[in-house]
Amino acid sequence: MRDIRNIAVIAHVDHGKTTLVDELLKQSGTFDERTEAGERMMDSNAIEKERGITILSKNTAIDYEGVRINIIDTPGHADFGGEVERVLKMVDSVLLLVDAQEGVMPQTKFVVKKALELGHRPIVVVNKIDKPAAEPDRVVDEVFDLFAQMGATDEQLEFPVVYAAARDGYAKDNLEDENKDLTPLFKKILTEVPVPTGSDDNGLQLQVFTLDYDNFIGKIGIARIFNGTISMGETVMLCKADGEKIRGRVSKLIGFRGLERMDIKTAGHGDIVAVAGFETIDVGDSLCDPANPMPLDPMHIEEPTLSVTFAVNNSPLAGTEGKYVTSNKLQERLAAEMNTNIAMNYEQKAEGSYEVNGRGELQITILAENMRREGYEFSISRPQVITKIENGVKMEPFEHLVCDIPTEYSGGVIETLGKRKAVMTNMIPMGNDQTRVEFEIPARGLIGYRNEFLTDTKGEGVMNHSFLEFRPYSGTVVSRKNGALVSMENGVATAYSIFNLQDRGGMFVKPQDKVYDGMVIGEHARENDLDVNVIKGKAQSNVRSSGADEAIKLVPPRDMSLELALEWIEDDELVEVTPVSIRIRKRELDPSARKRAAKNSKNS
């Protein structure tokens, strides 16, 4: 039986998890000389590379001094908390990364709570100690206070600490030590992480914690073996969460090393492997010995908190830019996403429209962005929070919000959030003229707030939030203050018209952009919507004017990304998403139908 250690790397977003895993891969000798090692190697998805965030948890394995170390790199963003939660059950300890300047952040609290509940004793890695404003000792104290607050045991409070600068590839036990390499961290992993419990001699017990999909072999379950052994071609029993039992054969058994996956013949307890051959396999399912099936406890998956409607695009420009435009294609793609993403679900609402439920705006916009890049064309509605009734009381999700802002702007942020039903729970001066303000706020209050927050803090603020709990419904929340400028004609926008409309508000379109009746072409400077003609050209006469035409000076249009557009829209608007464009439109394109709908919603 080989020596194994299983660990997960957990941290708040952008505290250096993926960079640390890169260095562990490089310094463990996992790569040979021919392998070209890049940056953030575990971030395989194009959007992950662009944004510098981890979206999907991924596993790798390294060999160090004869020990196989299975490492799972987890997402840091609150919307992907479900991924982290599942992964923690598959490991025996965690590396908790904390930024030496920022300290403990909301997502750190979420993952630490889950890790401590499962009985893990984290190894705390104070990362980025090379930052000029780093305060490693303060951060260690903050982590200790957090553990105590979360009800950690005495053993968990005696956590080992390593100081590191992952980008520069060194770690040390004491701040005074020399900056060399990551050996101190490797040694800590070997000595502090418990050896997997269980035995190869027991009956098979394997649990799936994440899914993959391959067009040739179908669904793949990535799982940890808690007891027994599994071999290629073996007949085993799939035990579902609902109690159903299905016999099946392992058609493929895959092991991990570095960034590679390879076919293996057999694996034993403590190993993390990928198994194919079971079409109905799902997260939390167990594979057991058919002679004596003893399934493991199914996993609790946190429920979605936000929903949006994906629908077939029915605007006048529908089908001109996308490759996949029908409801069948849309449903196929959503079904394929749900195959591997268990934190989301969907159901058909009407002909050609589907309600998609997820953990947050980022999770939903990343799905939409991936679909758009694959050639899909569709429309999305404004995100709505998912409410539920408990004991006759309407409940809604609340978030824990942390804002790091320059002190001079803190008053404005607190006032704006107050209107959105936020309650301030803490305010800490952070030095460098920065203040950290913490709030508890309904998830509804955060929809559409990020843009306003960046304006209020002149782009210098940082906000992070994580799911708190469901609480009684808190009444109406203030939303967008400004109305929309709506096109009243079909055609092409002209510079002359845009120039004359600039005083009415900010523009989203530029000259030569296609527009249609009912499309939102800008933000009105006042509260009401305004129908405007953006295709009118300058009237030409056959009389020569005495002075030459004055040069038209246009203000550059506001670039509406998918996230910005989704945050900006109201309930009567939709975002039209195609591989080429992102447009905002009114749900009802006809002006009289719009007025009727507005009147009805006011009366109701």
Side-chain angles (χ1 to χ4, degrees), residues 9 42 145 213 221 269 439 492 524 539 585:
V9 186
M42 299 291 281
D145 293 346
Y213 193 82
H269 87 278
F439 301 90
V492 172
H524 193 196
R585 50 165 285 193

Side-chain angles (χ1 to χ4, degrees), residues 232 252-255 261-265:
M232 171 80 175
K252 213 168 182 53
L253 192 61
I254 302 163
R261 294 180 171 198
M262 57 262 187
D263 290 355
I264 54 174
K265 293 275 187 292

Side-chain angles (χ1 to χ4, degrees), residues 397-414:
F398 269 68
E399 302 266 330
H400 175 223
L401 171 68
V402 176
C403 301
D404 286 339
I405 39 184
T407 307
E408 59 182 304
Y409 304 131
S410 57
V413 169
I414 293 165

Side-chain angles (χ1 to χ4, degrees), residues 497-536:
S497 287
I498 293 174
F499 176 69
N500 287 325
L501 289 170
Q502 282 179 159
D503 296 343
R504 297 299 185 109
M507 288 292 170
F508 300 158
V509 295
K510 58 185 187 299
Q512 299 308 305
D513 278 357
K514 291 176 182 171
V515 297
Y516 53 82
D517 187 6
M519 178 173 150
V520 175
I521 55 110
E523 183 176 66
H524 193 196
R526 299 191 179 177
E527 288 179 17
N528 61 311
D529 290 348
L530 184 68
D531 289 343
V532 295
N533 184 349
V534 77
I535 68 169
K536 191 167 80 175

Side-chain angles (χ1 to χ4, degrees), residues 61-73:
I62 58 178
D63 293 316
Y64 184 79
E65 293 185 356
V67 179
R68 165 60 56 99
I69 304 173
N70 288 315
I71 304 173
I72 306 180
D73 180 19

Side-chain angles (χ1 to χ4, degrees), residues 107-125:
Q107 188 64 11
T108 319
K109 294 179 182 174
F110 175 83
V111 291
V112 163
K113 181 166 172 256
K114 299 290 179 196
L116 294 178
E117 280 172 4
L118 291 166
H120 295 323
R121 178 166 168 256
I123 297 172
V124 175
V125 181

